[in-house]
Structure formats: C-alpha cells, structure tokens
Amino acid sequence: MKGLILKDIIQIWKNYKILLLIELILVVFGAFSGNLFMSFYGTLLLGILPYSSMTFDDTSRWNIYCLTMPFSRTQIVSSKYMLTVILCCAAELVSVISYIVSYVTNHSDTDMSIRSMIIFPLAFTLLFTAINFPLIFKLGTGKARIAALILSGAAAGFASTFFITSDDPPQPTTPPITSAAALIAVVTVLALFCVSWLLSIKIYQKKEL
Amino acid sequence: MNAIEITGLRKEYKDFTLGDITLSLPSGCILGLIGENGAGKTTLIKSLLGITIPTSGSAVILGKAVGDNTIHDDIGVVLDEVGMPMNFNTSDIDLVMKNTYTKWSSEVFFDYVRRFKLPEKKKFSEFSKGMKMKLGIAAALSHEPKLLILDEPTSGLDPLVRDEIVDILSEYTRDEEHSILISSHIVSDLEKLCDYIAFLHDGKLMLFEEKDRLLEQYCFLTLSDDQLEAMRAEAIIRKRVNKYSTEVLADRSMIPNGYNAAPITIEELFVFMAKEVKE
C-alpha cells in the first residue's frame, strides 16, 4: 500500500505544487498578521486533494493498471482514505503551528477561533470524503462528480450551519452545550468516515473495470 | 507446472458473453490469443487479472487461484493503454514501483529505459504511443516476473517498433521458466513468437492448439465439384463456395493422394475459420 500512497503524494505534488506553495506563503503571512483564514482554508484544500487524485487515476487508467499489481482491492480503497487522513493531519499541524505563531505574535486567542480553525475544516473534509468516496468507487469520477456537487452542497449547508452557530458572538466562557455539540459533530463525522471507508471497500470488491 | 490453467471460465454482460473458456499454458511457453476486435480477448485477460469478476468458472495462475493478489508480484502486465500517471517521469515510476514489487530492480528498469532510448526526464504524457508501450514493457520486466500478460502490446505501433517489441519478448522467453500470454489482432506478430495459439471469435474459443501442429495439420485446397465430392466430409474443416471452385480448409492427414494442398498461415487459418463461422 506504501506504493499507492507514495504515487498519490507524488502526483498531487507534481500537479499542485505551485498552488500548495502559494497556500503555504499565505498561511505564514496569515499567522504573522493574525488572519488565520488561510490556515483554515488550507485544511479544506489538502483534504479534498485525494478526490482529485482519483480523477487523475481515471484519466490515466491507473485505476485499472494498479489492479494488476500486488495490491488487494481493500488496499486500493484504503490508500485513498489513508491519504485523506495523512493530508488532513498535515494541514491540521500547519493550522496549529500558525495558530501558535499568531498567538505569540498577535496575542489573538479565542476558544471559538481555534474550534473554527481546527474542528470545522477537519469535519468538513472528512464529511466531504465520507460522502464522495463511495460514490466515486461506485460510479467512477465522471458520474460521481454530478452526484458529488449535489451532496457537497448539502454537506456545506450542514457545515456552515455548524460554523455559524459556533461563531456566535464570543462569550466569556464557552457554554457546555456548544462544546458537547462540537464533540458530537466530530464523533459523528468520524463515525461516518469509518462507515464510508467500509462501504467503499464493499463496493469496490464487486466493481467491474 | 502450467503457468495458466483456465477451466470453464465464463463472463456474461448484457450484450456479450465470453465462454466457456478452457485452456492451459505450460510453463516456459508463449500463448497467442488471436481474435477480431470485440472477440473477448481483453475480457479474458481482465478476468485472469481479477480486474473483472467471472460469472462462472475458475482460473489458476502460477499455481495460485485468481483473486490471490500475491500472484501479481510474479506477473508483468502491459495493457493496451499503459496506465502510468500522466505527469510521472521514469524516476517517479521507479520510486513507486520500488515500493510496490518485492523484487523490483531499479538497475534492470533503467537498463531497459536506456536500451529503449526512452527520455528519463520527460513526462509520461509527452511520450509517443510506442514509447509508452516500451515503458510499460520495461516496468513489466523489471520485477523478475515469471509470467507476462500483454494485451494488444503492438496495436497502433509502426512495424519497426512492433518488431523491436517482438524481439524483446523473444529474449525474455529464453529463460525456460518464463511464460507469456499475449493478445493481438495483428496475427503476423504472434505467428513469429508463439508456441500455442488460441482463436477467440464472438466470445467463443474456436481453437486452441500448438502453432506448429496447426501449421502441419491444416492446409488450403482449391477444388472442383468432382474433387470436393471425392473428399471425406470429416476432412473438411471449413469451405467457401465460389462461382467456379470451392476453397477448402482441410485436415492434411485426410486428403486423398494427388490433391494439391497449399500450406496455410495462422492469419489465413484464423480469417477463414472466423469468416466461415459468420457465414
């Protein structure tokens, strides 16, 4: 499976290195200027790159070629989910570092902003993956794109509702209900991500290519 | 040991059925899968590689059932479209394959890259069709495969590149443990290379035999009506009736003395058998 993940990382780097470097510059700039939006945006960006790697696989016919290699179908599916997790972790790490830099240089700190920065984009990307990957494994990237547009809209609607609720005017202390809601949302998204993973494996076992 | 054993393999689609295929390829031999476009060659190869799932029947490759992904470490595969990532160069491919195959040799891979005069820094998407195919073959040969499975490797290539590929494959089979399953509708390429020939037509296995035996066994005859009547019915494999004569594909061992039998090529044999089946 190492070969599969390595191939995706090289492919993403080769296709998006300029974009990723610009994003990194903006994150650094944002951290020092106190505007953390780009860190937040970076998680979203990195988290959805595995989706685009699947489009490349379809176009180049790698999706068929890799089935001739010593990988099981479970490994092929799992490599995409693991790539998502790896990229999300990398983005989260950058977010945390930029938050710390911002805190040290600008003393900007609210419990809400760290939640918005770390939890919301992570939840959104995992939810995006959880919804889209089974569709791609079932329908292929072409048909799945249409379905994904519809479902992503729905997911974004859910996520923005959560985000707006969490970004209500700051309060001196975070109400316990909000923390609990955030926790429930994260646990739900993680559970959905795991269910999606298993569902994709099941779908891909029977997939005809 | 047989490199490939296929037993009653059948694959049903809405508008096409492949089956029931039964054949075996002894280790150290080359099997050419011949058939027109849409005959089922790619479906059969995909079924052997686990890319499609057969409706019924079974296949064993190098002693392991299809579906056991560990066999892929010993199989080199080149499909009609070489599925390398578009923006990869040869070093990227080497890095990925090194982390994929347990017996991958970068040295062997780059030897082939240099021998095939492939550009090392160029992106795969900028390669010509012949270069892509050669790179696919280089990758397929660089992890000590015991079996090569090639789907239309010479299709769409110019005669020089095709000849070069045939040479490479001949060189690979100098090792007695190495076997090849190769499909093509360019029969002349397979005629040069193969020990066994399988004809697929409309999803059915029309014929499976050793090439030399086919060439010995079958012959062409052009007969008058009287000569045709004098022939034993079982000697006639296929016939095509023309205005003044009848062309016959016959079993050489059963034709009467004095008949002027002409040798047949594999291509002629396939075309005659396939066309007459249609008629």
Side-chain angles (χ1 to χ4, degrees), chain A residues 2 14-15 60 68 73 208, chain B residues 11 50-52 72 87 92:
Chain A
K2 198 173 153 196
K14 291 209 151 197
N15 276 293
S60 66
T68 72
R73 288 183 179 232
E208 295 278 345
Chain B
K11 177 67 190 170
I51 298 170
T52 59
H72 294 279
N87 55 357
D92 301 324

Side-chain angles (χ1 to χ4, degrees), chain A residues 2-3 6-7 10-11 14-15 59-62 64-65 67-73 75 205-209, chain B residues 11 46 49-53 69 72-73 77 79 81 83-89 92 95-97 99-101:
Chain A
K2 198 173 153 196
L6 190 63
K7 172 248 149 206
I10 298 171
Q11 185 166 261
K14 291 209 151 197
N15 276 293
T59 311
S60 66
R61 315 289 281 173
W62 172 270
I64 294 174
Y65 187 42
L67 284 169
T68 72
M69 297 174 187
F71 301 120
S72 66
R73 288 183 179 232
Q75 286 176 319
Q205 294 292 351
K206 294 176 186 166
K207 176 84 174 174
E208 295 278 345
L209 288 156
Chain B
K11 177 67 190 170
K46 282 185 169 180
L49 292 168
I51 298 170
T52 59
I53 299 145
N69 63 298
H72 294 279
D73 223 8
V77 179
L79 301 174
E81 281 184 81
M84 299 290 183
M86 291 294 180
N87 55 357
F88 274 32
N89 59 31
D92 301 324
L95 186 60
V96 170
M97 296 302 179
N99 286 282
T100 295
Y101 291 101

Side-chain angles (χ1 to χ4, degrees), chain B residues 56-265:
Chain B
S56 60
S58 63
V60 174
I61 295 182
L62 301 171
K64 291 179 184 170
V66 167
D68 177 347
N69 63 298
T70 58
I71 56 171
H72 294 279
D73 223 8
D74 288 322
I75 307 175
V77 179
V78 182
L79 301 174
D80 54 347
E81 281 184 81
V82 181
M84 299 290 183
M86 291 294 180
N87 55 357
F88 274 32
N89 59 31
T90 52
S91 303
D92 301 324
I93 291 165
D94 174 58
L95 186 60
V96 170
M97 296 302 179
K98 210 188 298 180
N99 286 282
T100 295
Y101 291 101
T102 52
K103 289 177 277 181
W104 179 263
S105 164
S106 300
E107 199 184 334
V108 171
F109 177 66
F110 282 108
D111 276 351
Y112 277 116
V113 166
R114 282 185 282 275
R115 185 178 155 192
F116 296 159
K117 298 185 178 70
L118 296 172
E120 292 188 31
K121 300 289 170 203
K122 228 177 183 179
K123 288 181 194 169
F124 181 70
S125 60
E126 293 166 2
F127 280 29
S128 68
K129 186 161 186 197
M131 284 154 77
K132 282 180 181 170
M133 196 51 79
K134 284 184 196 170
L135 186 66
I137 291 170
L141 290 171
S142 299
H143 56 95
E144 298 177 33
K146 290 179 185 153
L147 171 68
L148 278 186
I149 297 184
L150 312 162
D151 187 17
E152 303 276 3
T154 55
S155 168
L157 303 180
D158 65 66
L160 278 178
V161 177
R162 275 167 41 204
D163 199 55
E164 205 177 338
I165 288 174
V166 169
D167 286 346
I168 295 157
L169 299 178
S170 300
E171 194 181 297
Y172 168 78
T173 51
R174 275 183 208 149
D175 186 322
E176 285 180 4
E177 282 191 0
H178 289 171
S179 315
I180 301 179
L181 168 64
I182 176 170
S183 84
S184 182
H185 59 269
I186 305 171
V187 184
S188 56
D189 291 339
L190 300 187
E191 200 161 353
K192 288 181 208 167
L193 196 67
C194 296
D195 305 306
Y196 286 83
I197 296 285
F199 285 169
L200 271 182
H201 177 63
D202 279 345
K204 303 266 184 305
L205 182 64
M206 207 161 52
L207 193 105
F208 171 59
E209 191 56 86
E210 272 184 68
K211 182 185 76 181
D212 292 342
R213 199 158 166 212
L214 282 178
L215 296 176
E216 269 172 32
Q217 187 179 355
Y218 296 107
C219 63
F220 243 145
L221 299 162
T222 304
L223 305 174
S224 65
D225 290 348
D226 291 344
Q227 285 175 311
L228 187 63
E229 267 182 39
M231 285 267 284
R232 287 160 59 189
E234 59 267 34
I236 301 170
I237 311 297
R238 296 281 192 280
K239 69 177 179 185
R240 184 191 295 146
V241 181
N242 299 320
K243 200 170 177 183
Y244 302 109
S245 62
T246 302
E247 286 179 310
V248 171
L249 173 67
D251 186 329
R252 194 186 289 270
S253 64
M254 288 191 263
I255 58 173
N257 288 335
Y259 278 49
N260 191 18
I264 193 164
T265 63

Side-chain angles (χ1 to χ4, degrees), chain A residues 102-135:
Chain A
S102 178
Y103 177 76
V104 171
T105 55
N106 305 296
H107 301 287
S108 62
D109 175 39
T110 67
D111 182 48
M112 287 300 172
S113 65
I114 194 163
R115 184 180 303 140
S116 303
M117 260 184 60
I118 302 211
I119 297 175
F120 166 66
L122 182 66
F124 178 84
T125 9
L126 293 183
L127 191 61
F128 177 88
T129 303
I131 294 168
N132 283 288
F133 276 18
L135 287 172

Side-chain angles (χ1 to χ4, degrees), chain A residues 185-199:
Chain A
V186 169
V187 171
T188 307
V189 168
L190 284 174
L192 281 173
F193 186 79
C194 294
V195 169
S196 164
W197 193 330
L198 294 172
L199 182 64

